[in-house]
């Protein structure tokens, strides 16, 4: 049995045992100091004790039953003249059940009525002393009957407020988790599909330009379009399957890409005519750092295709101390309005490729969010000697290992 179940069962059984044991053992001797002006406990007095104990068992699930059963038993017990005894334990149990289980206004109203009824039921005997100079018993009873309701009401209201706050906090955390998961999926779709469309646009521009002069080159571009579109569609379907799956975050996903896949990424960029030099030597990385670094590299190269009008891109990924440093620099004009995607060997002949239509700086905010989420830093902007550069620094684990990325020459 789990700890929560044990605690819940104990909270249900403890008031029952307290009222029952104390009432059965202490009711008979309770009237020893009240002889002469109380009724001797009989079978009915013990029946009321048992009724109050059984009613208290429903205080968690049915507070109205606990309130009515405990309150009625105590009031009847006092009104019939039985001695003040352990059955009074049922009064704070009833008041606390109402305070925890009911809205505040309703709990205060009914607990006030309970306190008044208990006080009047016992004041019949204590009020007789008001005609004399000894008012001590009545005042004592006034304090006891008021405290028996007021204190558990205050405690119960505090417990209710705490529980409502905890529930609200859990709901807020759940909503935040859902929102973060949606943002993550949106970023994944932006990175994978956006990159695929940029490569397709570039290859389509090349194919259209060389279709008549160089059918072989056009055929290569069309094959690259086919492969890129298939991969992008596969990635998009994988993300949509997660959204459709009722298991949510527990749904199976395809393995996330990492720097081990950078060779394929770079070759795909090179087939479009953009010259890419790469030095990628990173070793073993944690999945989080590996995936973030790959997405930054992918988005940076995508922006080169979309905006830079560059003929050369330089990639460097290496460890520096306890960080992974990634740099992507190009020799373009660093002008986001420049959306030419036709490779360098065709631009000299006046070719113009399709534009991307993205707003300036598209994707940089997403890259920065990825990096900063892992405690890193990202800077992106024009270089002093021309071109545009993205530099990211990611903290990494201290696990050792050396593994070069396939297809990435030094």
């Amino acid at each position: 049995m789990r700890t929560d179940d044990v605690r819940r069962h104990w909270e249900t059984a403890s008031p029952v045992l307290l009222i029952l044991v104390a009432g059965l053992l202490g009711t008979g001797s309770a009237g020893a100091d009240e002889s002469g002006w109380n009724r001797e406990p009989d079978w009915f007095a013990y029946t009321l004790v048992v009724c109050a104990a059984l009613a208290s068992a429903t205080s968690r699930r049915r507070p109205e039953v606990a309130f009515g059963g405990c309150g009625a038993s105590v009031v009847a017990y006092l009104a019939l003249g039985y001695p003040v005894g352990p059955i009074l334990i049922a009064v704070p149990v009833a008041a606390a059940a109402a305070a925890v289980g009911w809205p505040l206004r309703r709990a205060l109203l009914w607990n006030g009525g309970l306190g008044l009824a208990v006080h009047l039921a016992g004041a019949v005997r204590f009020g007789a002393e008001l005609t004399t100079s000894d008012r001590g018993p009545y005042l004592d009873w006034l304090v006891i009957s008021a405290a028996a309701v007021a204190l558990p009401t205050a405690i119960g209201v505090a417990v209710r407020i705490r529980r409502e706050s905890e529930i609200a906090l859990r709901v807020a955390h759940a909503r935040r988790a859902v929102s973060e998961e949606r943002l993550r999926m949106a970023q994944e779709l932006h990175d994978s599909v956006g990159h695929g469309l940029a490569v397709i646009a570039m290859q389509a521009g090349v194919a259209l330009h060389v279709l008549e002069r160089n059918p072989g080159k056009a055929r290569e571009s069309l094959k690259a379009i086919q492969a890129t579109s298939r991969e992008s569609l596969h990635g998009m379907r994988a993300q949509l399957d997660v959204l459709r799956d009722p298991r949510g975050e527990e749904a199976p996903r395809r393995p996330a890409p990492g720097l081990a896949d950078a060779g394929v990424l770079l070759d795909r960029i090179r087939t479009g005519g953009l010259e890419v030099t790469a030095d990628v030597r990173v070793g073993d990385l944690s999945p989080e750092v590996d995936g973030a670094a790959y997405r930054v590299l992918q988005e940076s190269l995508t922006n080169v295709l979309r905006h830079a009008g560059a003929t050369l891109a330089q990639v460097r990924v290496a460890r520096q101390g306890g960080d992974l440093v990634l740099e992507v620099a190009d020799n373009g004009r660093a002008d986001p309005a420049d959306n030419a995607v036709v490779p360098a060997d065709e631009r000299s002949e006046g070719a113009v490729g399709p534009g991307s239509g993205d707003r300036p700086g598209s994707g940089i905010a997403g890259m920065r969010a990825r990096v900063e989420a892992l405690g890193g830093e990202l800077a992106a902007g024009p270089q002093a000697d021309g071109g545009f550069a993205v530099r990211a620094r990611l903290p990494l684990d201290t696990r050792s290992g050396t593994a070069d990325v396939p297809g990435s020459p030094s």
Side-chain angles (χ1 to χ4, degrees):
M1 185 178 295
R2 295 180 303 177
T3 304
D4 291 342
D5 294 335
V6 173
R7 180 176 58 82
R8 185 167 56 252
H9 291 319
W10 171 248
E11 290 178 356
T12 301
S14 56
V16 178
L17 296 175
L18 184 60
I19 297 173
L20 193 61
V21 174
L24 295 179
L25 297 180
T27 299
S29 59
D33 297 333
E34 303 176 22
S35 59
W37 51 284
N38 66 63
R39 179 179 177 180
E40 190 70 22
D42 54 16
W43 65 270
F44 191 67
Y46 289 101
T47 301
L48 292 175
V49 171
V50 173
C51 290
L54 294 178
S56 68
T58 63
S59 58
R60 288 177 58 87
R61 292 179 295 178
R62 301 290 299 275
E64 65 277 3
V65 174
F67 182 87
C70 292
S73 299
V74 173
V75 170
Y77 179 94
L78 295 174
L80 291 174
Y82 292 118
V84 177
I87 194 174
L88 289 181
I89 299 173
V91 176
V93 171
V100 173
W102 292 345
L104 179 60
R105 180 175 297 181
R106 180 184 178 188
L108 293 177
L109 179 63
W110 283 90
N111 280 354
L114 174 64
L116 181 61
V118 170
H119 175 75
L120 293 177
V124 174
R125 69 190 72 174
F126 299 113
E129 304 294 332
L130 292 176
T131 58
T132 67
S133 60
D134 186 10
R135 300 180 181 181
Y138 177 79
L139 295 178
D140 291 343
W141 176 246
L142 177 63
V143 173
I144 291 173
S145 58
V149 174
L151 291 179
T153 299
I155 295 173
V157 169
V159 170
R160 178 182 177 85
I161 293 175
R162 186 194 67 183
R163 289 180 179 177
E164 291 177 347
S165 299
E166 291 175 350
I167 292 173
L169 185 61
R170 287 197 295 268
V171 171
H173 285 170
R175 289 177 178 173
R176 180 178 178 181
V178 171
S179 178
E180 290 177 349
E181 180 67 7
R182 288 176 177 173
L183 289 174
R184 186 196 65 80
M185 290 183 177
Q187 186 65 47
E188 291 290 338
L189 286 174
H190 172 272
D191 291 345
S192 59
V193 178
H195 170 75
L197 291 176
V199 173
I200 288 172
M202 177 186 66
Q203 296 287 2
V206 173
L208 288 174
H209 186 73
V210 302
L211 182 61
E212 296 180 358
R213 298 187 291 107
N214 193 345
K217 178 67 174 178
R219 186 179 297 107
E220 292 179 2
S221 297
L222 292 175
K223 288 181 179 179
I225 290 174
Q226 182 185 41
T228 303
S229 60
R230 184 182 294 116
E231 181 179 343
S232 297
L233 287 173
H234 180 65
M236 183 174 65
R237 289 195 188 102
Q239 292 294 331
L240 294 178
D241 288 342
V242 174
L243 290 174
R244 297 190 187 103
D245 198 300
R247 289 171 292 177
E249 293 186 0
E250 298 179 357
R253 299 179 179 144
R254 68 169 185 169
L259 290 178
D261 303 306
V264 177
L265 173 65
L266 297 175
D267 289 341
R268 184 187 303 143
I269 300 296
R270 293 186 182 107
T271 57
L274 178 66
E275 183 182 356
V276 181
T277 63
D279 182 4
V280 184
R281 301 178 183 273
V282 294
D284 293 333
L285 300 172
S286 65
E288 295 80 9
V289 174
D290 195 21
Y294 177 84
R295 289 306 188 188
V296 171
L297 175 62
Q298 181 187 58
E299 182 64 24
S300 300
L301 292 174
T302 301
N303 287 341
V304 172
L305 295 178
R306 287 173 172 173
H307 308 307
T311 60
L312 172 67
Q314 297 175 317
V315 175
R316 187 177 75 89
V317 186
R319 293 172 179 260
Q320 285 187 5
D323 296 327
L324 179 71
V325 177
L326 183 149
E327 297 180 0
V328 178
D330 61 65
N331 64 348
R333 289 185 291 276
D335 182 6
D338 178 19
N339 293 328
V341 294
V342 176
D345 58 348
E346 307 297 341
R347 290 196 189 103
S348 60
E349 302 179 21
V352 178
S356 68
D358 280 358
R359 60 181 177 82
S362 175
I364 294 178
M367 289 190 291
R368 180 173 287 110
R370 281 185 183 275
V371 173
E372 292 180 350
L374 297 177
E377 299 175 350
L378 183 138
Q383 301 184 92
D385 55 350
F388 195 87
V390 174
R391 296 180 178 87
R393 181 179 296 272
L394 287 161
L396 45 75
D397 295 338
T398 57
R399 290 177 296 177
S400 60
T402 56
D404 297 344
V405 175
S408 300
S410 302

